[in-house]
Amino acid sequence: MMSRQAFLCGLGSLYLSLLFIFLLMDVYARPANNSALKEKPADSKDENEILPPDHLNGIKMEMDGHLNKEFHQEVFLGKEMEEFEEDSEPRKNRKKLMVIFSKVDVDNDKKISAKEMQRWIMEKTDEHFQEAVEENKMHFRAVDPDGDGHVSWDEYKIKFLASKGFNEKEIAEKIKNNEELKIDEETQEVLDNLKDRWYQADNPPPDMLLNEEEFLSFLHPEHSRGMLKFMVKEIIRDLDQDGDKKLTLSEFISLPVGTVENQQAQDIDDDWVKDRRKEFEEVIDANHDGIVTMEELEEYMDPMNEYNALNEAKQMIAVADENQNHHLELEEILKYSEYFTGSKLMDYARNVHEEF
């Protein structure tokens, strides 16, 4: 049998490549906060259906406090985002982008203003909202097997533990008989956090039963002002190091420090900190006093805040506004297509003239 040393020598370059890939994944993803779960197989459909997702489409920050790297693409492409991910043919992507440009350009003056972009961002955000509502109907049916229109905490708990590999019948029997459940510490911690979220989603009078609308708030707190406040409290709790229920810049950029073992990973880590610093100083800290309060973070997180949408529109225009006229022409969007769509279009200038 080949020794470990011989194996590593023979596949040294492959090993280093894989090591670097995993390092990049670690730095990008960052360890999640104490709502993190153990890895599950990709085909674990039940868990995906009943767990509140960390990534919320059209929201600038994830539930664990990470910045949403796909936010610009989500609020520019809406449902078309998947098409750009799956279809890498530049010519087709250019045509799709030209169609989107014409839709945003409401007054047909061949350029996009901040107001037009703001309207589009609000429209795409609402589109994500409606998509979440439709998905919630399916997810609710998955946890409401008797179809009575309500889900109790115990019913949800059984389904959740079954998705974690526990025997559903045994768990149901133990809960019915008030017997002690032997659950590992990590799973119990997740359950405790989910139960807190369940309480918050349970509208008065509290009965620990969630209807379809309340279950939507549980899975998607952005749909409820009260749940949005709860999500902000969770993020503050996880980032606030001195317990004053406010965030300083150092607290915001220190979540959490990645392990950096080479210069390339250090560059990625530096970019991550740079992005968070910019977002803190230029956007979240509204009065620029160096402190982010719960109120400021809540306004920042609110996806239907029109002022935020306008501010975002101006930022998006500034990225590609090469002629500094505070508008976006089609050529500028095509040139900076990777920012807006995640897809880099080659020979944009030549092709746009061909297609016109």
Side-chain angles (χ1 to χ4, degrees):
M1 181 179 293
M2 184 182 293
S3 68
R4 177 179 174 81
Q5 183 176 3
F7 175 76
L8 290 176
C9 289
L11 297 177
S13 60
L14 177 60
Y15 174 80
L16 290 175
S17 298
L18 290 173
L19 180 63
F20 179 61
I21 289 171
F22 282 122
L23 179 60
L24 290 184
M25 290 170 63
D26 177 68
V27 174
Y28 269 123
R30 300 286 181 163
N33 63 9
N34 54 1
S35 65
L37 290 172
K38 293 181 288 188
E39 290 288 342
K40 287 287 290 181
D43 61 353
S44 181
K45 186 178 179 182
D46 286 342
E47 182 170 326
N48 291 333
E49 288 178 344
I50 65 175
L51 271 177
D54 173 53
H55 180 89
L56 301 171
N57 290 332
I59 307 297
K60 295 192 74 173
M61 188 177 285
E62 313 286 9
M63 283 191 181
D64 56 13
H66 294 140
L67 296 179
N68 177 4
K69 292 294 184 182
E70 298 177 343
F71 175 75
H72 297 126
Q73 295 160 30
E74 290 170 355
V75 295
F76 186 74
L77 296 178
K79 293 180 179 179
E80 285 78 19
M81 186 172 175
E82 291 184 4
E83 295 182 18
F84 276 85
E85 291 176 349
E86 295 170 1
D87 184 2
S88 60
E89 187 176 339
R91 189 175 182 84
K92 287 185 178 181
N93 281 348
R94 277 192 299 274
K95 289 182 178 179
K96 292 174 187 174
L97 196 49
M98 290 166 68
V99 170
I100 291 174
F101 181 90
S102 66
K103 290 179 179 178
V104 185
D105 180 24
V106 178
D107 60 10
N108 297 314
D109 64 353
K110 305 301 181 185
K111 57 181 182 289
I112 294 173
S113 67
K115 281 290 185 180
E116 286 174 323
M117 184 67 85
Q118 177 197 31
R119 180 199 63 83
W120 182 257
I121 288 173
M122 296 294 290
E123 186 177 311
K124 294 294 108 176
T125 301
D126 185 64
E127 191 175 282
H128 288 304
F129 265 47
Q130 296 308 315
E131 188 175 13
V133 170
E134 290 304 312
E135 289 178 352
N136 182 68
K137 292 179 181 178
M138 176 184 67
H139 299 164
F140 185 76
R141 286 196 295 268
V143 294
D144 181 28
D146 57 10
D148 65 354
H150 292 85
V151 178
S152 70
W153 167 249
D154 282 345
E155 284 179 320
Y156 177 83
K157 184 177 180 179
I158 292 167
K159 287 291 185 181
F160 169 75
L161 290 175
S163 76
K164 298 291 291 178
F166 291 85
N167 184 289
E168 185 169 345
K169 289 184 178 180
E170 290 181 6
I171 289 292
E173 191 66 24
K174 285 181 178 292
I175 289 178
K176 180 181 178 181
N177 297 326
N178 292 317
E179 297 179 28
E180 182 181 357
L181 302 178
K182 294 182 179 179
I183 302 174
D184 61 274
E185 185 176 343
E186 183 182 0
T187 302
Q188 184 59 55
E189 189 173 14
V190 174
L191 265 177
D192 291 341
N193 288 332
L194 290 175
K195 192 172 186 179
D196 287 341
R197 188 182 298 273
W198 191 273
Y199 273 118
Q200 293 297 322
D202 186 13
N203 292 327
D207 55 8
M208 289 300 282
L209 297 172
L210 299 191
N211 58 29
E212 187 173 310
E213 183 179 348
E214 291 168 331
F215 193 71
L216 175 65
S217 296
F218 173 71
L219 289 183
H220 291 273
E222 75 277 16
H223 285 251
S224 160
R225 194 71 188 186
M227 286 298 291
L228 191 63
K229 288 178 181 291
F230 179 71
M231 183 165 67
V232 166
K233 287 180 181 179
E234 284 191 314
I235 292 174
I236 293 281
R237 178 200 65 195
D238 291 335
L239 305 188
D240 179 21
Q241 297 172 8
D242 59 13
D244 65 355
K245 298 183 180 180
K246 301 175 183 178
L247 296 180
T248 62
L249 176 61
S250 61
E251 288 173 329
F252 189 72
I253 66 176
S254 64
L255 167 71
V257 178
T259 302
V260 178
E261 298 180 0
N262 58 46
Q263 186 56 48
Q264 289 166 304
Q266 178 66 59
D267 292 341
I268 292 171
D269 197 68
D270 290 344
D271 288 342
W272 185 84
V273 171
K274 182 180 177 181
D275 288 344
R276 293 185 71 85
R277 179 188 296 275
K278 182 177 180 180
E279 199 71 13
F280 182 97
E281 294 178 338
E282 298 182 10
V283 185
I284 310 177
D285 182 14
N287 62 1
H288 305 292
D289 65 351
I291 299 292
V292 165
T293 63
M294 283 190 178
E295 290 75 17
E296 285 177 320
L297 189 56
E298 186 180 335
E299 288 302 309
Y300 170 80
M301 296 285 287
D302 183 3
M304 299 309 290
N305 184 314
E306 292 188 7
Y307 175 78
N308 284 352
L310 180 59
N311 189 38
E312 190 62 38
K314 292 176 180 178
Q315 289 186 60
M316 292 173 73
I317 288 174
V319 167
D321 184 20
E322 288 196 336
N323 62 12
Q324 299 295 300
N325 68 348
H326 306 294
H327 289 71
L328 285 181
E329 280 79 35
L330 178 60
E331 289 86 349
E332 290 172 328
I333 286 186
L334 289 171
K335 185 172 182 178
Y336 289 86
S337 63
E338 196 165 12
Y339 173 81
F340 293 100
T341 70
S343 174
K344 190 171 183 178
L345 308 182
M346 307 302 292
D347 299 327
Y348 78 96
R350 175 174 60 81
N351 282 283
V352 70
H353 289 300
E354 286 179 1
E355 289 166 6
F356 272 127

